[in-house]
Amino acid sequence: MTKVSVIVPVYNVKQYLNVCIDSILAQTLDSLEVICVDDGSTDGSSGILDEYMEKDNRIKVIHKDNRGYGHSINTGMDAASGEYIGIVESDDCILPDMYEKLYCAAKEHDLDLVKSDVIFWWENLQYSLEYHSEDLSACYEKVLDESYRNIFFKFIMNTWTGIYKRSFLDKNGIRHNETPGASYQDNGFWIQTLSLCERIMWLKDALYMYRQDNPAASVKSRGKLMMMANEYDFAEKCLRKKNKKYELLICLYYRMLRHKGVFLRIADELKREYCNVVISDYRKYKELTYGNRELYEMLNRVYVDPNGFCDVFIKKKQETLQQLKNVRYIIIYGAGRMGQRAMRILAYQGMQERIKCFAVSALDPAENVGIFPVRCIEELTEYRDCSAVVMGVLDHSEAYHQIKERLGVLGFSNTVDLSQLTDYFYYLY
């Protein structure tokens, strides 16, 4: 019997496809099948898949008309013969022992599903970040039953770091929403699996490499504005049908929480229109946000004065952008956790080519962070007239003092606080 069926939804990812498929074929787990579902690719991806199928009998390829991500996953699930099902995005890759570790845990503990942690991966920056929920450390490597249901949703939201018992999915009729496109359709599957499973485990190992440097995702499509709301409509309908009242409340909370991420992610010219979606949900579900003060305050400001909120938000964001665009180089002060967060935000915004280096007051043991060198601040006087400094440290007063002493006017005329980036630009962790 096939142990794990790996579903790979494919649509115009020729640039990344070989790395993805090779990583799956290199798995140490025996008895693996790989179901690649080609959603009408036009860039040559289809031919690459056929070549793999001719060379390796573990690979099955399904070619179909373009009907979206959800339809591709469901097509793969219907064709799967494995005891468990995994999903790998076609621009990502996985570590060699991922499915062996997941399957062994699933079999040993008779789990409905088991997940690993994730590695955020910027291939173009030669940089990766292992994500681990420190607040949930006591819950890793432990069988969690239904009594921990509220904890399940506190782990990072994704569907592709795990494997799912096929009989569990079939018994509960769990499938993806089949709306056009590829936006947010993992949310409904995530809600369903965590709401209906009875035995689950998270492994502390980070085994899935989640690519962050694929520029293909569009943030300017007006058609995407309703996709998150539609996805949660789908999830809510599934839970209401099964009379899952407690899980429904969790679902509605995450519906509200996702609004912040969507608002930050979409293009500025769409933000005012998206406020209408936020306001509609806020009227119905605002009480669910009371426990998250920051979220409640943001959504309430949108509800009270959407145009005013957008005016201020966009103005401050554009001011920050202008500060960064007016210089030739960006220097990130601080090479630790916060400095690296600044780098990730800048890279997500397409500004990585402007980053010159990380600067520190005392030389860090690390020579580089990804492709960027780490240098002492006093070595950077040549950049004082053509650079902006992004403050990637907690103690801004000390940092300003260091910059003023060593780089003069640069410290006060061209600095951007990390809060300016985290408040106004979308980023992941």
Side-chain angles (χ1 to χ4, degrees), residues 318 320-328 330 351 354:
Q318 292 303 319
T320 300
L321 276 175
Q322 200 59 48
Q323 282 182 270
L324 297 171
K325 288 179 178 179
N326 283 342
V327 296
R328 290 176 59 191
I330 297 172
M351 298 183 194
R354 290 176 174 265

Side-chain angles (χ1 to χ4, degrees), residues 327-331 356 383-389 410 414:
V327 296
R328 290 176 59 191
Y329 303 119
I330 297 172
I331 295 169
K356 188 65 179 177
Y383 301 122
R384 65 187 300 171
D385 297 322
C386 59
S387 300
V389 174
L410 182 62
N414 295 286

Side-chain angles (χ1 to χ4, degrees), residues 35-296:
I35 303 174
C36 300
V37 184
D38 172 31
D39 194 30
S41 295
T42 58
D43 70 338
S45 295
S46 303
I48 294 174
L49 294 177
D50 289 340
E51 289 176 6
Y52 272 104
M53 183 170 59
E54 290 179 5
K55 296 176 182 178
D56 197 311
N57 60 14
R58 292 175 293 175
I59 294 184
K60 300 177 182 179
V61 177
I62 301 173
H63 297 288
K64 66 182 185 67
D65 294 336
N66 181 259
R67 293 183 59 182
Y69 177 90
H71 184 268
S72 293
I73 297 290
N74 290 345
T75 298
M77 289 172 62
D78 291 341
S81 63
E83 185 180 2
Y84 283 82
I85 287 177
I87 300 168
V88 176
E89 302 286 351
S90 50
D91 55 351
D92 298 336
C93 69
I94 57 179
L95 298 190
D97 56 352
M98 174 171 164
Y99 284 122
E100 182 174 10
K101 287 185 174 180
L102 291 175
Y103 182 78
C104 288
K107 291 296 291 182
E108 180 182 354
H109 300 288
D110 188 26
L111 304 173
D112 293 324
L113 65 107
V114 54
K115 292 189 172 188
S116 75
D117 266 344
V118 63
I119 302 167
F120 291 95
W121 173 43
W122 289 257
E123 187 177 23
N124 62 346
L125 301 181
Q126 298 174 28
Y127 172 82
S128 61
L129 171 74
E130 290 192 12
Y131 179 85
H132 181 77
S133 300
E134 294 294 342
D135 293 344
L136 299 172
S137 291
C139 296
Y140 281 91
E141 308 287 340
K142 176 180 179 180
V143 176
L144 304 178
D145 60 21
E146 297 171 84
S147 64
Y148 289 85
R149 185 80 71 195
N150 64 318
I151 300 294
F152 298 173
F153 295 89
K154 295 182 180 180
F155 285 90
I156 184 172
M157 197 289 290
N158 69 70
T159 60
W160 18 257
T161 62
I163 57 173
Y164 307 82
K165 185 183 290 186
R166 187 157 60 93
S167 60
F168 156 70
L169 297 176
D170 292 343
K171 174 185 174 182
N172 290 282
I174 298 175
R175 289 295 186 269
H176 281 67
N177 195 14
E178 294 190 3
T179 51
S183 295
Y184 312 122
Q185 290 177 336
D186 51 355
N187 280 255
F189 188 78
W190 175 72
I191 289 285
Q192 290 181 85
T193 52
L194 297 193
S195 294
L196 300 174
C197 69
E198 296 177 359
R199 293 173 64 82
I200 186 173
M201 178 183 287
W202 273 266
L203 305 185
K204 62 183 179 181
D205 296 325
L207 304 171
Y208 188 99
M209 298 187 70
Y210 179 28
R211 183 183 294 276
Q212 300 296 294
D213 53 13
N214 182 353
S218 171
V219 295
K220 296 185 178 181
S221 171
R222 178 162 277 102
K224 292 182 181 291
L225 292 185
M226 290 302 299
M227 285 187 175
M228 181 66 81
N230 290 340
E231 189 64 19
Y232 276 84
D233 286 343
F234 167 76
E236 290 166 29
K237 182 179 179 180
C238 294
L239 295 179
R240 291 182 192 278
K241 184 177 180 180
K242 296 181 181 298
N243 198 31
K244 292 288 185 177
K245 296 179 181 179
Y246 175 69
E247 290 79 5
L248 178 62
L249 292 177
I250 296 175
C251 176
L252 293 174
Y253 168 75
Y254 280 95
R255 179 187 186 114
M256 301 304 292
L257 183 64
R258 297 288 178 250
H259 282 314
K260 180 179 180 180
V262 175
F263 183 87
L264 291 175
R265 188 172 189 175
I266 59 176
D268 288 347
E269 59 265 28
L270 299 178
K271 293 189 190 303
R272 289 179 175 83
E273 186 174 347
Y274 187 70
C275 284
N276 294 327
V277 181
V278 176
I279 289 170
S280 176
D281 279 354
Y282 182 83
R283 287 194 179 108
K284 293 181 286 187
Y285 308 125
K286 66 178 180 179
E287 67 276 6
L288 295 174
T289 69
Y290 291 165
N292 185 334
R293 192 66 186 175
E294 181 182 352
L295 177 64
Y296 167 74

Side-chain angles (χ1 to χ4, degrees), residues 368-428:
N368 295 79
V369 176
I371 62 174
F372 303 113
V374 178
R375 298 178 60 186
C376 284
I377 190 72
E378 63 255 20
E379 298 176 359
L380 303 178
T381 54
E382 71 267 32
Y383 301 122
R384 65 187 300 171
D385 297 322
C386 59
S387 300
V389 174
V390 172
M391 309 299 289
V393 293
L394 277 173
D395 189 348
H396 287 177
S397 60
E398 175 62 24
Y400 282 129
H401 174 73
Q402 293 281 352
I403 295 172
K404 181 181 179 182
E405 287 291 316
R406 303 182 187 191
L407 293 183
V409 296
L410 182 62
F412 291 92
S413 62
N414 295 286
T415 59
V416 176
D417 289 346
L418 179 61
S419 62
Q420 291 174 255
L421 299 181
T422 56
D423 286 348
Y424 301 109
F425 297 92
Y426 179 79
Y427 72 102
L428 282 173

